[in-house]
């Protein structure tokens, strides 16, 4: 067990090292460099550019820049090129904004997809199953931005509530209940949109997992014993079908930081995804690289946690 | 069959009688596919879409297109679908084909029908080229990992690669002198190892040479670690970053989407190869002395392609969605050229006044992506050997 943890930690650190190199190279080898400025702009004299380059070590060779960058990142001293704010602080603020979206979206995904998937497996091949299948394909295939506009039109014309942004602008001194409802309304659309794809995929997965378990001998035995159908499905079958999903808890971690660039920019939600988008537009390399690095860390941590959970949950696996 | 009782099976056995199953593999495939109504629906929609995109390409391109998607008629802006053009204010060449705005006009008075036709071809090529690139890389990497996976890479190979890459990197960053020295050393070592291999004779295995010839990692491990590294990147964010940094062009988008989505295909091909390699027919072909190249591409690859085909079909759907998303964010194909994401992104400002600018491209993307997904899932069912035995 301990040797497994040690080995996989070392492996993940090596992977992370290569990820850091590759992402650094992708950004810095692309045409155009951050020191390059509009020659017509009178504010940027060659001296200013020179000072800027010196400040951010851009005059050094690439490998030295790499070392400087990750040294700064690990000691928390990286600053954004755009506004000289510390990157970690900026990311933390935006992360706190994205967190409610992520939590509501995850809760929606996990609470809706299980009942739907189990019911489809029980009524396999009937009308319910077929319509659920078609609906989930529809939800996978619909472009997020198009679905967002459909929902916006629906909500705005039928309920007359504003939905763009985190709260209605200038709501200031309304009653507590009003502000609370306002926040809920603003939260609900982006998180539903973030959850749709997840619900569709996860419910299909639950269905196939249930079908697979249903073919097992112990389920047939339980039926043959004359147990009530509910008990067979929810006690014997479901508990065993749940096994792979325990490990999926680890795999939702990367969603914390990825956010959704498109949905957050449609709703002007000041979260991670939108910050990353703005950083890309401004060519703010430290922010881009930090977001990339952080999400790689989360992916690796997620797979690590899911491996561990699998170890704990499934007694058949011994190391 | 007729007089089997008298002669016994072996005497009755004749080679010129057809013994193979009556249905060929394609026929069986088709019979299974026909039972899956959703997959057939997907296939039909895909064929229709393909024809539309092809005719759209012919109608809208060229120096004097029949339907011009870039023709601006400011006096006819935001006309709803099926509106008749106002013939008094238009010059003869500005009147739309068939005398009606089939899908309305946008805020510059351009014909949305023409733009949709032009965008169909873009979606189609982006989907197919991006997936083609990713499948090619995936087959190559997965094939190597699965077939040659047990071979090891020696320490000197790794050092040599590092030497050559850093030399090339130094040359690229304009440090010609030191870069050339490194490259020179690297090439020198290649020649040296060639000569020592060519001349068999006494080999004094010194300790440093023993270290250089030590096995470091197996090829399989190396390729799978590369896959792990690629999987660490958040894919849409990575694509967005690279597309934003590179100059805007449709080819860059295809290449970038292809280069960031080959990991699935690699894993599938590797897994198939690992199980195929142990099977008897491969051992038989090897015993016949067939070359590795022929074994891989003629004998193993056709048996390994089924999961890749499925993931490629669904990959096309994903690529079309990704391209639409990039166009929507403004990083897609540069402006005068229309794509579906582009039309929708331009139309979102008029969502209450001109909803058709949002709904027509949105529904088009939805239908095409849905058809690919349905067909891919149907294909997965049909190609699944467990399911095939049942029929």
């Amino acid at each position: 067990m301990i040797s497994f943890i040690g080995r996989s930690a070392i492996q993940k650190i090596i992977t992370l090292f290569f990820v850091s190199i590759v992402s650094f190279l992708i950004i810095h080898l692309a045409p155009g460099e951050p020191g390059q400025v509009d020659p017509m702009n009178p504010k940027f004299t060659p001296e200013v550019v020179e000072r800027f380059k010196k400040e951010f070590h851009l005059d050094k060779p690439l490998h030295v820049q790499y070392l400087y960058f990750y040294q700064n990142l690990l000691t928390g001293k990286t600053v954004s090129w755009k506004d000289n704010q510390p990157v970690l602080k900026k990311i933390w603020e935006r992360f706190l904004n994205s967190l409610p979206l992520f939590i509501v979206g995850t809760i929606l995904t996990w609470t809706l997809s299980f009942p739907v998937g189990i019911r489809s497996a029980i009524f396999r091949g009937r009308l319910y199953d077929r319509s659920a299948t078609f609906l989930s394909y529809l939800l996978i295939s619909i472009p997020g931005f198009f679905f967002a506009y459909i929902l916006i039109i629906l909500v705005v014309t039928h309920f007359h509530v504003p939905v763009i942004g985190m709260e209605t602008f200038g709501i200031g001194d309304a009653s507590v209940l009003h502000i609370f409802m306002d926040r809920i309304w603003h939260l609900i659309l982006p998180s539903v949109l973030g959850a749709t794809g997840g619900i569709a995929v996860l419910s299909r997965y639950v269905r196939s997992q249930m079908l697979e378990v249903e073919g097992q001998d112990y389920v047939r035995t339980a039926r043959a014993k004359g147990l009530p159908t509910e008990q067979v499905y929810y006690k014997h079958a479901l508990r065993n079908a749940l096994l792979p999903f325990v490990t999926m808890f680890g795999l939702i971690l990367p969603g914390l930081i990825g956010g959704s660039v498109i949905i957050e920019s449609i709703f002007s939600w000041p979260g991670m995804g939108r910050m990353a988008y703005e950083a890309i537009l401004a060519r703010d390399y430290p922010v881009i690289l930090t977001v990339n690095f952080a999400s790689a860390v989360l992916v690796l941590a997620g797979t690590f946690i899911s491996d561990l959970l699998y170890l704990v949950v499934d007694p058949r696996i011994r190391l | 069959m007729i007089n089997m009782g008298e002669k016994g099976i072996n005497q009755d056995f004749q080679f010129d009688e057809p013994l193979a199953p009556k249905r060929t593999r394609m026929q069986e495939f088709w019979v299974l596919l026909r039972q899956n109504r959703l997959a057939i629906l997907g296939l039909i929609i895909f064929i229709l879409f393909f024809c539309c995109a092809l005719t759209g390409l012919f109608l809208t391109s060229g120096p004097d297109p029949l339907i011009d998607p870039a023709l601006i008629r400011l006096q006819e802006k935001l006309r709803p679908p099926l509106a008749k053009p106002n013939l008094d204010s238009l010059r003869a060449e500005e009147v739309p084909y068939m005398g009606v705005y089939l899908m309305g006009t946008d805020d510059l008075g351009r014909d949305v029908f023409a733009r949709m036709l032009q965008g169909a071809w873009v979606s189609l090529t982006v989907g197919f080229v991006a997936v083609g690139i990713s499948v090619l890389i995936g087959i190559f990497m997965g094939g190597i990992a699965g077939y040659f996976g047990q071979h090891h890479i020696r320490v000197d190979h790794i050092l040599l690669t590092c030497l050559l890459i850093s030399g090339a990197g130094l040359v690229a960053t304009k440090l010609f002198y030191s870069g050339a020295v490194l490259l020179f050393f690297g090439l020198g070592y290649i020649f040296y190892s060639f000569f020592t291999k060519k001349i068999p004779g006494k080999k004094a295995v010194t300790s440093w040479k023993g270290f250089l010839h030590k096995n470091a990692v197996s090829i399989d491990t190396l390729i799978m670690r590369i896959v792990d590294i690629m999987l660490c990147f958040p894919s849409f964010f990575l694509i967005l970053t690279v597309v934003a940094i590179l100059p805007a062009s449709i080819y860059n988008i295809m290449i970038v989407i292809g280069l960031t989505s080959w990991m699935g295909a690699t894993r599938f091909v590797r897994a198939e190869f690992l199980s195929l390699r142990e099977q008897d027919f491969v051992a038989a072909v090897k015993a016949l002395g067939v070359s590795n190249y022929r074994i891989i591409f003629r004998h193993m690859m056709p048996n390994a392609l089924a999961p890749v085909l499925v993931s490629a079909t669904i990959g096309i759907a994903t690529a079309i969605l990704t391209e639409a998303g990039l166009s929507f964010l403004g990083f897609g194909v540069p402006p005068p050229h229309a794509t579906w994401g582009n039309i929708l992104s331009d139309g979102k400002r008029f969502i209450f006044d001109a909803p058709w600018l949002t709904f027509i491209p949105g529904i088009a993307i939805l239908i095409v992506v849905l058809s690919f997904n349905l067909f891919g899932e149907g294909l997965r069912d049909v190609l699944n050997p467990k399911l095939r035995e049942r029929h």
Side-chain angles (χ1 to χ4, degrees):
Chain A
M1 180 85 177
I2 288 177
S3 81
F4 165 75
I5 292 177
R7 253 186 303 139
S8 104
I10 291 172
Q11 213 176 55
K12 302 232 142 104
I13 287 171
I14 293 174
T15 312
L16 197 61
F17 172 65
F18 279 107
V19 168
S20 73
I21 290 183
V22 172
S23 52
F24 193 80
L25 282 182
I26 287 177
I27 298 228
H28 280 266
L29 288 184
E33 49 181 301
Q36 203 176 25
V37 288
D38 185 5
M40 304 300 282
N41 192 336
K43 274 185 188 166
F44 286 104
T45 55
E47 295 83 61
V48 175
V49 174
E50 210 50 49
R51 215 177 65 220
F52 173 79
K53 278 188 171 178
K54 209 169 183 64
E55 185 80 11
F56 294 114
H57 310 296
L58 286 172
D59 46 352
K60 303 265 176 20
L62 213 55
H63 58 278
V64 181
Q65 283 187 40
Y66 171 83
L67 289 180
Y68 268 120
F69 177 77
Y70 281 98
Q71 186 195 12
N72 284 342
L73 179 65
L74 295 179
T75 49
K77 281 192 296 197
T78 324
V79 290
S80 160
W81 287 352
K82 201 167 124 200
D83 48 10
N84 259 353
Q85 294 275 315
V87 170
L88 291 182
K89 192 174 136 240
K90 258 178 107 169
I91 289 184
W92 179 248
E93 282 167 6
R94 294 303 190 94
F95 171 73
L96 288 184
N97 287 339
S98 274
L99 199 60
L101 275 189
F102 172 75
I103 293 174
V104 176
T106 312
I107 291 176
L108 279 177
T109 310
W110 285 75
T111 49
L112 283 181
S113 51
F114 272 91
V116 173
I118 294 169
R119 260 183 84 87
S120 311
I122 292 176
F123 299 112
R124 172 185 50 204
R126 307 242 197 103
L127 185 66
Y128 178 84
D129 179 31
R130 272 186 291 164
S131 44
T133 305
F134 188 74
L135 202 67
S136 62
Y137 285 139
L138 206 66
L139 286 182
I140 294 172
S141 310
I142 198 165
F145 44 91
F146 176 54
F147 197 32
Y149 283 115
I150 296 179
L151 287 187
I152 289 176
I153 290 179
L154 270 183
V155 169
V156 170
T157 54
H158 283 85
F159 299 100
H160 303 287
V161 285
V163 286
I164 303 293
M166 276 179 76
E167 54 188 22
T168 307
F169 182 70
I171 195 165
D173 49 349
S175 65
V176 177
L177 183 73
H178 191 88
I179 291 180
F180 181 71
M181 281 312 292
D182 186 60
R183 290 300 289 263
I184 294 285
W185 268 114
H186 281 88
L187 188 62
I188 211 85
L189 270 198
S191 36
V192 165
L193 278 165
T196 44
I199 293 173
V201 174
L202 199 64
S203 67
R204 298 291 299 160
Y205 194 32
V206 170
R207 175 182 179 272
S208 67
Q209 203 60 39
M210 276 295 278
L211 284 182
E212 194 168 323
V213 171
E214 257 190 32
Q216 301 284 336
D217 291 341
Y218 53 81
V219 175
R220 199 189 314 138
T221 313
R223 281 228 181 80
K225 277 198 302 191
L227 287 181
T229 331
E230 266 92 63
Q231 206 176 340
V232 175
Y233 280 124
Y234 293 102
K235 202 168 168 193
H236 292 79
L238 182 61
R239 282 190 188 177
N240 288 290
L242 280 181
L243 213 57
F245 296 100
V246 176
T247 66
M248 281 179 75
F249 270 121
L251 300 181
I252 58 177
L253 261 189
L256 261 178
I257 202 154
S260 175
V261 179
I262 294 180
I263 288 174
E264 281 183 2
S265 35
I266 290 176
F267 286 93
S268 313
W269 189 273
M272 291 289 306
R274 196 171 155 73
M275 183 191 67
Y277 177 59
E278 285 162 0
I280 289 173
L281 282 183
R283 295 219 168 184
D284 197 349
Y285 289 2
V287 176
I288 300 174
L289 282 173
T290 311
V291 171
N292 221 323
F293 188 75
S295 66
V297 170
L298 282 184
V299 170
L300 291 172
T303 47
F304 186 59
I305 290 174
S306 76
D307 286 352
L308 280 187
L309 279 176
Y310 216 90
L311 263 182
V312 174
V313 174
D314 195 339
R316 284 171 295 188
I317 294 182
R318 288 268 167 275
L319 289 166
Chain B
M1 278 291 247
I2 308 152
N3 41 15
M4 197 161 57
E6 296 163 14
K7 289 182 179 176
I9 296 170
N10 280 335
Q11 287 166 356
D12 195 41
F13 193 84
Q14 280 179 342
F15 279 104
D16 25 277
E17 275 179 26
L19 288 171
K22 290 204 179 63
R23 289 184 298 190
T24 62
R25 206 188 259 193
M26 272 314 284
Q27 281 170 331
E28 195 176 351
F29 172 80
W30 181 240
V31 165
L32 278 175
L33 189 68
R34 247 189 340 204
Q35 286 164 357
N36 194 334
R37 251 181 272 158
L38 284 181
I40 288 292
L41 186 72
L43 184 65
I44 291 172
I45 294 174
F46 162 64
I47 292 171
L48 282 180
F49 165 61
F50 189 79
C51 297
C52 278
L54 216 57
T55 45
L57 182 71
F58 286 121
L59 290 182
T60 58
S61 62
D64 185 26
L66 199 55
I67 311 175
D68 191 359
L71 184 68
I72 295 173
R73 320 171 182 83
L74 281 178
Q75 65 275 35
E76 293 276 271
K77 65 179 184 181
L78 296 185
R79 300 293 304 273
L82 296 176
K84 294 264 184 248
N86 193 356
L87 289 173
D88 304 335
S89 63
L90 289 176
R91 275 177 285 137
E93 68 270 19
E94 287 178 339
V95 177
Y97 189 68
M98 293 188 293
V100 61
Y101 296 118
L102 213 54
M103 293 181 177
T105 59
D106 66 359
D107 57 318
L108 293 176
R110 291 174 295 193
D111 190 1
V112 176
F113 180 62
R115 288 171 68 74
M116 288 296 293
L117 276 182
Q118 195 181 26
W121 181 252
V122 173
S123 292
L124 189 78
T125 41
V126 166
F128 273 87
V129 174
V131 168
I133 292 173
S134 79
V135 164
L136 280 185
I137 298 177
I139 284 180
F140 180 72
M141 300 281 266
I144 289 179
Y147 192 79
F148 298 112
Q150 259 53 40
H151 292 259
H152 281 263
I153 297 175
R154 296 197 315 241
V155 175
D156 59 338
H157 291 157
I158 297 177
L159 290 178
L160 190 63
T161 318
C162 289
L163 208 65
L164 287 177
I165 288 180
S166 55
L170 284 177
V171 170
T173 50
K174 288 168 193 138
L175 290 165
F176 291 107
Y177 183 69
S178 45
V181 169
L182 285 184
L183 281 178
F184 176 75
F185 273 118
L187 293 176
Y189 186 79
I190 292 177
F191 278 117
Y192 168 73
S193 52
F194 259 118
F195 276 115
T196 45
K197 207 186 266 176
K198 281 278 162 62
I199 305 162
K202 51 182 192 317
K203 270 187 187 168
V205 182
T206 50
S207 61
W208 63 272
K209 212 172 168 189
F211 170 72
L212 279 184
H213 282 215
K214 210 171 172 175
N215 290 335
V217 283
S218 69
I219 294 176
D220 186 39
T221 321
L222 184 72
I223 289 180
M224 285 297 115
R225 285 293 92 76
I226 296 177
V227 168
D228 282 350
I229 291 172
M230 285 302 293
L231 283 175
C232 276
F233 290 103
S235 63
F236 189 75
F237 181 57
L238 180 68
I239 294 172
L240 195 63
T241 314
V242 178
V243 167
I245 287 176
L246 291 177
S249 109
I250 185 169
Y251 302 103
N252 280 339
I253 292 175
M254 295 175 193
I255 294 169
V256 170
I257 294 178
L259 285 183
T260 49
S261 57
W262 49 269
M263 290 83 77
T266 302
R267 285 188 157 178
F268 287 130
V269 174
R270 170 181 173 267
E272 288 290 314
F273 262 50
L274 283 183
S275 73
L276 284 175
R277 206 178 50 187
E278 306 300 326
Q279 291 194 6
D280 291 340
F281 74 93
V282 176
V285 180
K286 266 187 191 160
L288 285 174
V290 176
S291 69
N292 280 334
Y293 175 81
R294 200 173 155 79
I295 295 178
I296 292 179
F297 288 104
R298 184 74 188 81
H299 296 280
M300 288 171 84
M301 202 56 89
N303 289 298
L305 276 185
V308 178
L309 206 62
V310 174
S311 82
T313 315
I314 295 173
I316 292 175
T318 319
I320 291 176
L321 272 185
T322 309
E323 189 274 326
L326 287 176
S327 292
F328 179 79
L329 287 177
F331 286 116
V333 184
H337 209 93
T339 73
W340 291 353
N342 224 316
I343 301 169
L344 204 152
S345 167
D346 291 343
K348 73 188 176 205
R349 285 170 295 156
F350 310 101
I351 187 167
F352 290 106
D353 304 323
W356 64 90
L357 287 181
T358 306
F359 277 89
I360 289 174
I363 290 174
I365 298 171
L366 170 64
I367 289 176
V368 168
V369 172
L370 184 66
S371 80
F372 276 105
N373 275 332
L374 288 178
F375 183 60
E377 292 292 329
L379 214 58
R380 186 200 302 274
D381 287 347
V382 173
L383 294 174
N384 188 355
K386 274 187 211 160
L387 201 105
R388 185 180 283 180
E389 278 161 18
R390 244 185 263 157
H391 290 276

